[in-house]
Amino acid sequence: MRSNSTKKRILPALFALAAIAGLLWMTLKHRTVTLDSGSRITMGTFARIVVVAADPQQARDAMEAALEKIYDIERRMSDYDPNSLLSQVNRRAFEAPVAVDEELFEVLAASVEYSRLSGGAFDVTIGPVVQLWRKAKITGIAPTPEQLQRAKESVGYQNLILDTENHTVKFSKEGMFVDLGGIAKGYAVDKGIEILQKAGVKGGMVDIGGNLRCFGTPANNIPHWFIGLQDPASEENILAKLKLDDRAVATSGDYRRFVVIAGQKHSHIINPATAESAQTLSSVTIIAPTAIATDALSTAVTVMGDKKGMALIESIPGVEAILIPQGENPIFEKTPGADQYIQK
Ligand code: ADP
Ligand code: MG
């Protein structure tokens, strides 16, 4: 009798204990910390990394490693720094083939691919023209048509010769100058994400100047990574919330970086066909699996305009676009697949 009543009391207590232990285990298993790097200056803009991990030390180590990778890419691929590997290529590759490291080779090969894919709207050899406009930004005097014409003659990705076997770069035209400004930020974002994933953290986000990619468990215990799509007329105004999981997004906008020369607004994106700034769209947002794709394609579509740009994006599986033409009221032109990313 007595043992039976004890049993009756012990059993529910055991069940309750097991349930508590189970709950505790579940909570510990899913417990995460979120670490935010805040703004870091790199590649002529701001970078930010968010890491979601089970362990604070793991989060810190992963973040530091990812940041170090980004700084390292900047050191090698900047054309502002005369000592970078890219600057050495720009100085010497017309005379003889220049050997480069695996990553620079990878970016150059991808750049040529996007140049080809966009029919030269994105052109990684736009450097000589960009240099002229950069000078104009400092002096306030626009380049002459003759100067632009001369610079344009040195532009053409077809003249960038990549030797896959020896990892060398050769220019087949004099005066060539490679500018990775439209693609290196995206590449660095992908490399940062790769480091975070290899470190085994649960989730993360890397953003370099509006080139952003996220993966895994979102920060702050919300079900998705959400990214605001800014109104081109006012950076504070968010036009839509993009719901992104394991995706990259980039927005090119004429409001972000431009220069006024002789009263005229010039975007920092150049149409290689005219050597003038490309300004038909107010904002171009591209969503794709990788940030190198969104970076290069947002620059390409800015040059191509809405019709040709949309046709290009629709021809690439897994890539979507949201365009905002210039005008008083912002309206969206989207690929059908873009809707799945817009939070209703
Ligand atoms: P955004 O931040 O607006 O997307 P990006 O920074 O990606 O623009 O690209 C602009 C940079 O790319 C310029 O500063 C220049 O270095 C380079 N660039 C400009 N025009 C082109 C082009 N047609 N093709 C490739 N690169 C370009
Ligand atoms: Mg770009």
Side-chain angles (χ1 to χ4, degrees), residues 114 189-190 193 197 212-215 245-249 286-294 297 316-320 341:
Y114 285 110
V189 167
D190 287 338
I193 289 284
Q197 288 176 330
L212 187 150
R213 182 171 162 188
C214 52
F215 77 96
D245 295 296
D246 297 298
R247 275 289 175 281
V249 62
I286 307 290
I287 301 165
T290 66
I292 194 168
T294 54
L297 291 172
I316 314 171
V319 180
E320 308 300 340
Y341 299 109

Side-chain angles (χ1 to χ4, degrees), residues 212-290:
L212 187 150
R213 182 171 162 188
C214 52
F215 77 96
T217 308
N220 309 322
N221 298 315
I222 50 175
H224 303 282
W225 291 94
F226 289 106
I227 279 95
L229 179 61
Q230 284 171 1
D231 182 344
S234 141
E235 282 202 31
E236 282 87 57
N237 196 17
I238 300 298
L239 293 178
K241 230 163 129 189
L242 301 181
K243 186 178 78 181
L244 300 172
D245 295 296
D246 297 298
R247 275 289 175 281
V249 62
T251 299
S252 290
D254 63 1
Y255 58 94
R256 271 176 181 269
R257 276 154 69 193
F258 59 84
V259 44
V260 179
I261 301 163
Q264 217 186 342
K265 208 166 138 184
H266 293 270
S267 132
H268 65 298
I269 296 179
I270 307 292
N271 182 348
T274 61
E276 299 280 346
S277 84
Q279 271 187 335
T280 58
L281 291 159
S282 239
S283 150
V284 173
T285 297
I286 307 290
I287 301 165
T290 66

Side-chain angles (χ1 to χ4, degrees), residues 122 180-186 209 211 250-252 257 268-269 291-300 302:
F122 177 92
L180 297 175
I183 196 165
K185 293 191 287 292
N211 296 277
T251 299
S252 290
R257 276 154 69 193
H268 65 298
I269 296 179
I292 194 168
T294 54
D295 194 0
L297 291 172
S298 58
T299 301
T302 300

Side-chain angles (χ1 to χ4, degrees), residues 43-235:
M43 302 184 124
T45 181
F46 297 103
R48 179 176 167 223
I49 297 184
V50 175
V51 178
V52 181
D55 171 63
Q57 189 59 45
Q58 186 197 31
R60 267 193 297 275
D61 291 348
M63 176 178 286
E64 282 315 313
L67 281 168
E68 195 38 58
K69 184 80 201 175
I70 291 165
Y71 298 146
D72 177 47
I73 291 172
E74 180 191 20
R75 277 192 290 273
R76 284 178 289 137
M77 302 190 191
S78 163
D79 63 88
Y80 285 92
D81 176 2
N83 298 317
S84 72
L85 182 55
L86 180 66
S87 292
Q88 294 177 40
V89 168
N90 279 332
R91 276 197 301 273
R92 305 192 343 238
F94 178 64
E95 287 151 29
V98 178
V100 296
D101 62 46
E102 208 169 301
E103 291 189 342
L104 180 52
F105 194 87
E106 191 185 358
V107 180
L108 289 170
S111 300
V112 170
E113 260 321 295
Y114 285 110
S115 301
R116 203 174 288 142
L117 193 66
S118 65
F122 177 92
D123 192 318
V124 71
T125 65
I126 192 74
V129 179
V130 170
Q131 293 294 315
L132 281 180
W133 285 109
R134 259 191 221 161
K135 222 179 276 163
K137 191 175 167 182
I138 298 164
T139 61
I141 304 163
T144 64
E146 293 74 34
Q147 283 176 314
L148 287 173
Q149 183 54 36
R150 218 172 316 126
K152 214 174 80 159
E153 278 162 19
S154 307
V155 177
Y157 65 92
Q158 300 90 341
N159 302 319
L160 184 65
I161 315 297
L162 299 178
D163 181 335
T164 320
E165 229 157 76
N166 301 309
H167 274 195
T168 60
V169 189
K170 172 89 176 78
F171 295 165
S172 64
K173 222 171 187 185
E174 201 162 9
M176 280 177 69
F177 193 97
V178 167
D179 176 345
L180 297 175
I183 196 165
K185 293 191 287 292
Y187 180 76
V189 167
D190 287 338
K191 287 288 154 178
I193 289 284
E194 197 182 298
I195 298 253
L196 298 184
Q197 288 176 330
K198 278 192 184 147
V201 300
K202 291 178 182 241
M205 191 270 299
V206 178
D207 173 7
I208 307 180
N211 296 277
L212 187 150
R213 182 171 162 188
C214 52
F215 77 96
T217 308
N220 309 322
N221 298 315
I222 50 175
H224 303 282
W225 291 94
F226 289 106
I227 279 95
L229 179 61
Q230 284 171 1
D231 182 344
S234 141
E235 282 202 31

